[in-house]
Amino acid sequence: MGVEFEPRIIAFMCNWCTYAAADTAGVSRMQQSLNVLPIRVMCSGRVSPEMVLRAFRAGADGVLVMGCHIGDCHYSNGNHRTIKRMPLLRNLLGYTGINPERLELQWVSGAEAPRFVEVTEAFIAKIRQLGPLSQEVME
Amino acid sequence: MSITLTIDGQSVQAEEGQTVLEVAKRAGVTIPTLCYHPALEPLGACRLCVVEVIQRGRSQIVTSCTMPAEPGMEVRTSTPAVMESRRTVLELLLSRCPNVPVIQQLAAQYGVTEPPFEADDPNEKCILCGLCVRACNDLVGAHVLNFSDRGISRVIGPAFMEKTRDCIGCGACTIVCPTGAIEIVLEKEALYAAKPLGPASAIYVPFLQAVPRVPVIDTDACIRFRQQARTNGELADACGVCQLLCEARAIDYTQQDEELDIEVGAVVVATGFADFDPYLAPQYSFGKSPNIITGIEFERLSNSGGPTEGEILTAEGVPPKSVAILHCVGSRDKHTNKYCSRVCCMYALKQAHLVRDKTGADVFEFYMDIRAPGKSYEEFYERVQEEGVHFIRGKGAEVTVQPDGKLLVKGEDADLSRVVAVSVDMVILGTGMTAQPDAAEVSHLFGIGCGNEGFFTEAHPKLRPVETNTDGVYLAGTCQGPRDVPDTVAHANAAAAEVLALLTKGEVVISPATAEVNRDKCVGCGDCIPVCPYTAIARVDGKAQVNAALCKGCGTCVATCPSGAIEALHFTDEQIVAQIEGVLKWV
Ligand SMILES: Cc1cc2nc3c(=O)[nH]c(=O)nc-3n(C[C@H](O)[C@H](O)[C@H](O)COP(=O)(O)OP(=O)(O)OC[C@H]3O[C@@H](n4cnc5c(N)ncnc54)[C@H](O)[C@@H]3O)c2cc1C
Ligand code: SF4
Ligand code: FES
Ligand code: FES
């Protein structure tokens, strides 16, 4: 095989927690891979199933939806919707031929920059294992 | 109707029905009394209040407490006959009770220094005036005290002079008794139970700085409310002394809690903290000895308005010889609260200082490290060290109650690398701060965030420390996190300033990133209405409509709408998809 597969990951981050954590991780010069492509939304509750599917269609190998921990959402309970929506969407992903493992929901608060790195690195490693989405869908 | 009479040559006004004594008191004329109490019907028992009354040309010596004032009456309060009469009364009283200070003083005023007769019992204090009997029967309605026997063997007491369960221990008799003949004897445990925190009486001003500074009635202690509760509301006529004596007529027993609807432009949440529950740290044996107290109980004990008037006493009623103060109770502990409560190091040092100052007792402080950040705090710590407090660096591990009632405190002294144990008379637990138990409810009420520990979340930890994510709702003090009084005041002032800024501006600035409904696409299903955390969406003419002043732009409704009829301005689907496609194109 030629060049090693570099997964492309779309990460939806809520403005108030995870986006801040990502910022802090950067400012603190934590070692990070370059595979995560951040998309800022005001709240994880803004991420509709359609958005996730559009990301896969546009060529993402994995999608992370990230927001504040339950109870910490800037909008009180926007993430209560997310926590119901995403597992449901994961169940449905199978029918489209996409491995549900390629979608993950993770809570990372603004104070958890190390956790942000941990979570994203683990996800990158997993997607690396799974290989490119294009290959999976073609099979 | 008003009437006119003369007292010692002075013409005075009186209300019909008033007694001569009441009128004289009002006019500033002093008449000695023993068996008179403004809250009770006069009986004329002690005969000390005698005066000379001249009516229709006839002179009479009468007890002024029972004599009704009449028009044209002439009263003389210090004629030789009156003085002689009072002297005789006092000679007899002093003979009966030679060692009662009030009687000795009164007698001395009338020139009686030696009792003319020898007392049967030199320790007798009761003058049989019956004030207590009237208080017990007429006011309290407990019907415990009464006269029994006759003549020289007449006595006052409960039936058969036996202990009775009918006595409710209200203490009214001890208050009215002019000679201090009645004492309330409480069992030790009862005394302690009443001591550390309870108010001293059933009606009291909550604390000196209370606003408004008016008394409140403790309905669990008040005789009248207790009677009402006992009889399921049938009877409510006991006591009533406070109402009777309040000249402003401000006492209203029928007052109820009421709910008021007040419209405001801003709210400052300042609901404070709750004390850490010491039962959650059972190694410190809280509740097993009355001499193991929490920091806040110590505050009450050493407060001059407290039950011991600020004296630091053990449950046995004596000053302690040794005291242990344990830091970090419930704080910095993975089993209870992980965080540092911030104020307890300093209050523990203050309490150590108070104990040293007031009692001179040996003080042992068990601490992990002293957190004394703040102006002059480190200096205070040094001062307390110089005052001879023993500092043991190591968290108190355990408190046990010894068979002799002493308290054994064990811990590790990290400086000496060995286990230490001290036996003390009193243990103060430096209990930390926790969020109020109803914090979750309050946070829902105002739509504000609440962290894992239960403290409310500010809009930004550095830049917006008093604002919340709900416009118009601000935080002040420990409801946001542990802090001491100076920091609380600073925080509260900042909140007040924010409120003023908001209210004086006269207009509210909102973010342009709000949700907007496309009425052509909306089918009026209403799915978006319940998901909005701010109730910003309503159905207007069958279709959803977003109130831009309430919307915070989270976009949850956008993701929920099955018809794609709502857009999040500045975060439209189109914009997000363009971003996704854009970033993917280049990597
Ligand atoms: C033992 C001890 C000793 C201390 N000693 C000192 C000291 O010497 N110096 C110092 O600077 N600090 C000291 N502190 C800290 C100090 O007590 C706090 O900093 C201060 O009380 C915080 O004030 P607050 O207004 O935030 O909260 P609180 O004092 O807790 O006041 C909150 C108020 O809100 C009311 N409330 C709660 N919920 C509601 C509701 N839902 N609706 C309406 N009202 C509500 C409560 O009844 C209470 O009156 C000590 C603390 C402790 C525990
Ligand atoms: S302030 Fe001191 S006693 Fe209180 S939790 Fe922090 S370290 Fe412990
Ligand atoms: S704002 Fe972060 S999940 Fe809602
Ligand atoms: S006060 Fe009037 S008789 Fe005692």
Side-chain angles (χ1 to χ4, degrees), chain A residues 8 45-46 74-75 77 85, chain B residues 469 533 560 571 573 584 587:
Chain A
R8 300 189 300 167
R46 168 69 182 89
H74 184 85
Y75 307 100
N77 52 14
R85 240 176 235 152
Chain B
N469 293 323
T560 304
F571 287 88
D573 281 6
L584 285 172
V587 289

Side-chain angles (χ1 to χ4, degrees), chain B residues 270-273 295-296 299 347 350 436 477-478 483-486 488:
Chain B
T271 48
F273 68 98
I296 207 82
E299 292 288 322
Y347 87 56
K350 174 191 71 180
Q436 291 279 18
T478 47
R483 48 162 62 76
D484 62 4
V485 170
T488 296

Side-chain angles (χ1 to χ4, degrees), chain B residues 21 32-36 43-49 63-66:
Chain B
L21 178 67
T33 60
L34 276 174
C35 73
Y36 168 78
L43 203 64
C46 74
R47 304 203 64 77
L48 195 61
C49 67
T63 48
S64 61
C65 69
T66 52

Side-chain angles (χ1 to χ4, degrees), chain B residues 496-520:
Chain B
E498 289 284 352
V499 169
L500 286 177
L502 176 76
L503 298 187
T504 49
K505 208 157 43 176
E507 56 184 30
V508 181
V509 179
I510 54 169
S511 154
T514 56
E516 202 176 66
V517 178
N518 180 337
R519 290 184 68 86
D520 291 341

Side-chain angles (χ1 to χ4, degrees), chain B residues 31-91:
Chain B
I31 298 173
T33 60
L34 276 174
C35 73
Y36 168 78
H37 192 283
L40 290 164
E41 281 295 306
L43 203 64
C46 74
R47 304 203 64 77
L48 195 61
C49 67
V50 288
V51 292
E52 190 175 343
V53 165
I54 300 163
Q55 244 180 332
R56 294 175 282 276
R58 271 183 58 205
S59 153
Q60 245 182 314
I61 297 277
V62 298
T63 48
S64 61
C65 69
T66 52
M67 186 75 187
E70 273 171 31
M73 198 180 231
E74 193 188 334
V75 179
R76 298 186 185 165
T77 67
S78 47
T79 61
V82 166
M83 298 309 261
E84 184 51 38
S85 181
R86 288 187 193 153
R87 196 172 302 124
T88 311
V89 167
L90 285 164
E91 276 176 353

Side-chain angles (χ1 to χ4, degrees), chain B residues 264-579:
Chain B
V264 295
V267 175
V268 178
V269 179
T271 48
F273 68 98
D275 219 17
F276 171 76
D277 177 1
Y279 286 105
L280 297 180
Q283 67 271 33
Y284 299 131
S285 300
F286 185 81
K288 295 196 181 138
S289 159
N291 288 324
I292 303 175
I293 60 176
T294 63
I296 207 82
E297 285 175 330
F298 178 87
E299 292 288 322
R300 178 74 183 148
L301 190 63
S302 80
N303 186 304
S304 57
T308 58
E309 289 175 348
E311 261 193 89
I312 297 168
L313 302 177
T314 65
E316 291 73 35
V318 293
K321 291 208 174 60
S322 51
V323 176
I325 303 180
L326 275 52
H327 286 226
C328 298
V329 173
S331 311
R332 304 176 65 197
D333 183 339
K334 64 172 189 255
H335 300 295
T336 48
N337 294 322
K338 281 193 216 143
Y339 55 88
C340 165
S341 289
R342 243 177 86 174
V343 299
C344 13
C345 271
M346 288 316 292
Y347 87 56
L349 292 175
K350 174 191 71 180
Q351 296 182 344
H353 164 76
L354 286 171
V355 172
R356 290 290 298 156
D357 190 45
K358 290 188 178 181
T359 69
D362 277 327
V363 179
F364 302 90
E365 296 237 8
F366 286 81
Y367 71 104
M368 291 198 273
D369 37 35
I370 297 283
R371 306 211 157 163
K375 204 165 159 182
S376 308
Y377 284 12
E378 184 68 18
E379 292 87 328
F380 183 72
Y381 172 33
E382 262 175 41
R383 175 171 156 203
V384 175
Q385 282 174 301
E386 280 158 18
E387 286 172 353
V389 171
H390 307 288
F391 284 90
I392 300 164
R393 194 161 70 84
K395 193 167 180 166
E398 185 184 51
V399 177
T400 41
V401 184
Q402 304 291 99
D404 65 353
K406 283 258 230 178
L407 307 167
L408 189 70
V409 185
K410 279 193 207 148
E412 191 199 346
D413 189 328
D415 288 335
L416 303 177
S417 297
R418 62 162 204 227
V419 172
V420 288
V422 286
S423 175
V424 294
D425 299 328
M426 183 187 265
V427 169
I428 304 171
L429 302 179
T431 39
M433 286 186 170
T434 64
Q436 291 279 18
D438 63 354
E441 269 168 73
V442 175
S443 84
H444 283 293
L445 186 65
F446 291 104
I448 57 181
C450 184
N452 290 340
E453 319 283 12
F455 295 108
F456 301 135
T457 15
E458 63 284 6
H460 187 283
K462 289 175 186 158
L463 304 176
R464 296 165 69 198
V466 295
E467 288 164 78
T468 66
N469 293 323
T470 302
D471 285 346
V473 179
Y474 301 89
L475 302 174
T478 47
C479 65
Q480 185 268 342
R483 48 162 62 76
D484 62 4
V485 170
D487 286 3
T488 296
V489 171
H491 202 221
N493 278 342
E498 289 284 352
V499 169
L500 286 177
L502 176 76
L503 298 187
T504 49
K505 208 157 43 176
E507 56 184 30
V508 181
V509 179
I510 54 169
S511 154
T514 56
E516 202 176 66
V517 178
N518 180 337
R519 290 184 68 86
D520 291 341
K521 284 197 194 166
C522 176
V523 297
C525 68
D527 281 2
C528 52
I529 296 175
V531 305
C532 176
Y534 301 95
T535 55
I537 313 180
R539 211 193 250 104
V540 178
D541 298 334
K543 304 216 167 174
Q545 185 169 321
V546 175
N547 180 337
L550 292 178
C551 172
K552 298 269 162 253
C554 67
T556 306
C557 57
V558 182
T560 304
C561 178
S563 334
I566 316 184
E567 275 293 16
L569 300 180
H570 300 278
F571 287 88
T572 62
D573 281 6
E574 216 178 317
Q575 284 171 316
I576 294 177
V577 171
Q579 277 186 46

Side-chain angles (χ1 to χ4, degrees), chain A residues 16 26-27 31-32 34 37 40 46 53 62 70 73 88 114-116 122 128 136:
Chain A
W16 305 97
V27 172
Q31 276 301 320
Q32 294 179 68
L34 303 172
L37 306 167
R40 183 171 72 104
R46 168 69 182 89
L53 295 174
I70 292 295
C73 173
L88 203 67
R115 182 176 145 78
F116 173 79
R128 209 185 285 283
E136 179 176 296

